Amino acid sequence: GPGPPPPREWALSVSPRGRLRVRVPCQVSIRPLDPQRCPGADRLLVAVSGGSPGRERDPVRVEHDEALGQVAIVADGVDSKTAVDIRTPVKFDLDIKTSGTGCVKIQKIECDNCKIETEKGTSVLQSIKSHKIDIRTNGGKVIGLGTLYGNTDICATEKGSVNIEKLQGTTINISTEDGLLKTKYLYAESASLSSESGDIMLGSVHG
């Protein structure tokens, strides 16, 4: 039969310091633009792949509000096997929320605000610098690779777990309910790490 349909793609002209708002029930990956190919950092690229296009109740919508400097990506009806890949200006603020098992992967962003919320999906953050990092999950995993740099609030409820290599900020709060809380290197002036019934495993903590 016919092969898989091509990914659905958008390319928007944006301000280098805008905000991305995502509300989807599937995987989201966010990386910065390639500075060689986009030296002005004034584009936002979206590619949607997988899932069952053409049979969706409500496909992915991309809306750009230039007055607010906000790009919104919304999809209620796509299936959970869909993947949304986004390349943003490196300083774009992020407000990402997935439902169901939707995972979030973010690499090498440097912004003022980075807010992520998942239900059962895993969040993987690699080398993030943000003034404020706020991560919530209701049963998913939160994984930090490289250094997460910024004032950080991470809350994992139910069996949600937190495993972070290196975290650096002025104030850091991490809490889990039943899940593991593990961090290898933590540098903070004020840190609060708590778990209701999960294990807490700390490497070196400096304050």
Side-chain angles (χ1 to χ4, degrees):
R8 293 133 278 172
E9 297 187 0
W10 292 260
L12 308 176
S13 294
V14 296
S15 138
R17 280 190 168 275
R19 186 165 85 112
L20 174 67
R21 183 176 186 273
V22 177
R23 298 289 182 272
V24 295
C26 60
Q27 175 181 304
V28 181
S29 305
I30 299 169
R31 289 178 296 166
L33 294 160
D34 178 347
Q36 305 286 310
R37 293 175 61 180
C38 192
D42 55 359
R43 290 273 183 282
L44 187 138
L45 310 175
V46 183
V48 177
S49 57
S52 43
R55 296 196 294 281
E56 291 159 351
R57 287 185 291 116
D58 182 13
V60 175
R61 301 192 305 283
V62 176
E63 297 157 0
H64 184 196
D65 184 327
E66 293 187 33
L68 280 177
Q70 174 174 283
V71 175
I73 300 176
V74 182
D76 301 318
V78 299
D79 72 43
S80 58
K81 294 182 181 63
T82 305
V84 181
D85 286 294
I86 309 162
R87 284 186 168 247
T88 67
V90 70
K91 296 200 184 299
F92 240 55
D93 283 349
L94 303 178
D95 176 0
I96 313 299
K97 187 173 183 179
T98 62
S99 53
T101 55
C103 295
V104 178
K105 297 178 183 172
I106 300 177
Q107 294 177 341
K108 298 181 178 151
I109 293 292
E110 302 179 17
C111 59
D112 287 337
N113 286 288
C114 177
K115 187 170 194 287
I116 298 167
E117 191 174 332
T118 70
E119 287 181 357
K120 302 292 178 239
T122 299
S123 302
V124 180
L125 293 92
Q126 181 181 354
S127 306
I128 305 293
K129 274 188 187 175
S130 181
H131 183 67
K132 180 95 186 72
I133 299 172
D134 188 340
I135 306 171
R136 311 204 163 263
T137 185
N138 186 25
K141 295 186 175 87
V142 177
I143 297 170
L145 306 172
T147 302
L148 304 189
Y149 191 94
N151 295 325
T152 303
D153 211 322
I154 301 174
C155 176
T157 55
E158 295 188 6
K159 297 208 180 319
S161 63
V162 178
N163 186 345
I164 290 177
E165 275 184 14
K166 191 170 177 184
L167 193 48
Q168 188 168 351
T170 308
T171 58
I172 292 173
N173 297 301
I174 306 176
S175 66
T176 68
E177 287 183 354
D178 301 337
L180 171 70
L181 192 173
K182 182 178 178 183
T183 177
K184 210 183 260 182
Y185 300 100
L186 181 67
Y187 303 87
E189 286 175 28
S190 154
S192 159
L193 307 175
S194 62
S195 180
E196 284 182 19
S197 57
D199 289 336
I200 297 183
M201 297 172 68
L202 302 179
S204 52
V205 175
H206 305 272

